[in-house]
Amino acid sequence: MKEKNQAVSSVDELTVVDTDLHLTEQQDDILPYLEEPFNKVLNVNNQEKRGQVEGGYLSQLYPSAGHLTPTDTGRAETDDVRSPEDVERAMELLNLDDAILTPGLNLRLGLVHHDELAAGFMTAYNNWLLDTILDEGYHGSMVVTPQKPEKSAEEIDRLASESQIKAVMIPGGGVHPPLGRKQYFPIYEAAEDAGLPVMIHNAATGIVGNYPIQWRGTKRYIEVHVPYHSAEQMWHLSTMLTNGVPVRFPALDFVIQESGIGWIPYFMRRYDNEYGKKQNDAPLLEKRPSDYIRDQFFFTSQPTEGIDDPEYLCHTIRMFGGAENLMFSTDYPHYDFDYTDALLSSLRTEFNADEIQNIYGQTAANVFDL
């Protein structure tokens, strides 16, 4: 890490690690990496017939909610990240020293209706990622499919020795049942054995899977995007605590992504309060639920609501763990991404240089073994 002064005046004084820099892979990028039998079923080696099947045309195999939403940022020239050159431009634009590259299209992997096809896409994406992006020296998260936990565990074992793979991402949007259930334990066991943290990242499209009635009642993207990420993360996290996931896998770290920060202290206090009255509902826990969250769960910063209100922002961070549990992220190139210096002016009012460096890079270096 770079040397730190007591007063941090610029991100240039920090080592900056972005813990959620998205690739924008397209279905056509992934299809050539599909293995049998889906490479034949979908004619992936025939450009003219790719995606065509007898009786229909499957142009889009990843479900979408169809919400009208911005497709670019309007704030940056580089809003397509599908090649090493794109990653390099993005990192220069954002003044990053390192990044954990995360999927874009495959945030919807948990919604793919055909379980075996979802597993095929998992392997295809990971092979594309290694072959196209990570071989150039970047760091990224492999993706696993919640529909096939045993197959996902095999995929973790397959890629555990790949030095550029720094995490296991579960696309949590629309996943049912929630991620605390026993059926997902093979994923957690394999990740723990591999020494890789588990990232959980939702997508607003997931509302078509977990909340179909409410989804049909929405008309605007903002109606979904405001509550959905944090609501579903609470759903996953609640079941993980109830079923003792951090107790069963004590060496495993979890990274909760892209859901804001205000809900975190609320959830911790509410769960502690409920646990005090219903400990039999979470019989494996040996200490307060909030203690497990502080010990094994980390949160990425984007989207940071209240970024123009230092008192709110700093107080909220202090309530859920301070600089030890928050990791900087941009969410680039999504339309609502945060520039690298967006947090700094608020953090400087409350946090010292070491704490700021923890948020901007040191905690990520520890969690992801950078």
Side-chain angles (χ1 to χ4, degrees):
M1 289 293 175
K2 297 173 183 175
E3 183 177 352
K4 303 179 288 296
N5 299 318
Q6 280 304 307
V8 178
S9 59
S10 167
V11 293
D12 293 333
E13 301 171 28
L14 301 167
T15 298
V16 180
V17 179
D18 187 347
T19 55
D20 192 21
L21 176 60
H22 285 286
L23 299 170
T24 58
E25 77 279 4
Q26 301 299 309
Q27 187 169 285
D28 273 355
D29 296 325
I30 307 304
L31 287 177
Y33 288 87
L34 271 178
E35 300 173 349
E36 293 185 1
F38 296 107
N39 58 347
K40 295 179 181 178
V41 171
L42 298 175
N43 295 309
V44 299
N45 295 320
N46 187 329
Q47 185 67 38
E48 292 184 1
K49 295 184 177 181
R50 182 177 295 172
Q52 296 182 26
V53 296
E54 187 175 353
Y57 184 84
L58 298 178
S59 62
Q60 180 54 267
L61 295 161
Y62 292 82
S64 173
H67 289 116
L68 181 63
T69 182
T71 57
D72 57 44
T73 68
R75 296 189 290 163
E77 294 180 1
T78 304
D79 48 30
D80 195 29
V81 187
R82 297 168 64 188
S83 71
E85 293 75 22
D86 294 335
V87 174
E88 182 178 3
R89 286 197 300 272
M91 291 185 66
E92 290 178 356
L93 172 72
L94 298 167
N95 197 19
L96 304 176
D97 294 288
D98 208 339
I100 304 299
L101 300 176
T102 54
L105 175 65
N106 280 279
L107 293 177
R108 290 186 263 155
L109 183 61
L111 294 167
V112 173
H113 297 298
H114 193 300
D115 291 355
E116 286 73 23
L117 177 59
F121 276 140
M122 167 185 68
T123 302
Y125 169 79
N126 291 331
N127 287 339
W128 171 82
L129 176 69
L130 285 164
D131 186 42
T132 306
I133 308 292
L134 300 191
D135 275 357
E136 300 300 317
Y138 297 108
H139 296 135
S141 61
M142 63 176 290
V143 71
V144 295
T145 181
Q147 295 96 318
K148 303 286 283 187
E150 296 286 353
K151 188 71 173 177
S152 292
E154 294 175 7
E155 182 74 349
I156 295 170
D157 293 341
R158 180 178 79 92
L159 299 179
S161 62
E162 296 286 347
S163 61
Q164 301 307 110
I165 296 287
K166 295 298 182 181
V168 174
M169 174 182 278
I170 303 176
V175 170
H176 181 79
L179 293 173
R181 296 295 179 246
K182 184 178 180 180
Q183 67 194 65
Y184 304 112
F185 288 2
I187 295 175
Y188 304 144
E189 182 178 4
E192 185 179 50
D193 289 345
L196 295 172
V198 169
M199 308 172 90
I200 301 174
H201 196 308
N202 298 332
T205 292
I207 199 169
V208 305
N210 266 5
Y211 303 100
I213 295 175
Q214 291 89 332
W215 168 60
R216 288 196 291 269
T218 62
K219 295 173 59 179
R220 303 284 190 263
Y221 180 70
I222 193 172
E223 297 173 336
V224 173
H225 201 238
V226 169
Y228 183 74
H229 277 262
S230 55
E232 190 158 30
Q233 293 288 19
M234 284 191 275
W235 189 237
H236 291 316
L237 185 52
S238 185
T239 62
M240 293 171 79
L241 290 168
T242 300
N243 289 282
V245 169
V247 180
R248 298 175 189 271
F249 306 99
L252 185 58
D253 288 333
F254 296 90
V255 179
I256 307 299
Q257 295 181 279
E258 200 179 320
S259 51
I261 63 172
W263 66 273
I264 305 169
Y266 159 78
F267 177 87
M268 293 168 71
R269 289 171 185 263
R270 181 165 176 80
Y271 208 107
D272 280 353
N273 181 59
E274 293 285 323
Y275 177 71
K277 304 166 187 175
K278 304 182 184 71
Q279 294 186 17
N280 288 338
D281 278 354
L284 292 184
L285 300 188
E286 300 168 345
K287 52 188 178 182
R288 292 185 308 169
S290 60
D291 291 331
Y292 288 102
I293 293 174
R294 291 188 175 93
D295 289 344
Q296 289 178 248
F297 290 82
F298 301 85
F299 304 88
T300 62
S301 63
Q302 200 282 338
T304 311
E305 78 282 354
I307 205 161
D308 56 349
D309 185 349
E311 183 178 2
Y312 162 81
L313 181 63
C314 294
H315 182 61
T316 301
I317 295 171
R318 289 287 190 207
M319 283 195 294
F320 70 78
E324 303 300 322
N325 293 80
L326 181 65
M327 298 189 292
F328 170 75
S329 64
T330 65
D331 190 40
Y332 188 83
H334 293 171
Y335 79 97
D336 57 343
F337 80 94
D338 288 340
Y339 280 109
T340 305
D341 59 357
L343 275 175
L344 185 57
S345 60
S346 290
L347 293 178
R348 291 179 68 231
T349 66
E350 172 68 24
F351 295 94
N352 63 39
D354 287 340
E355 291 173 316
I356 293 173
Q357 180 60 87
N358 282 343
I359 292 170
Y360 268 93
Q362 185 59 60
T363 299
N366 296 338
V367 170
F368 297 107
D369 191 26
L370 298 178

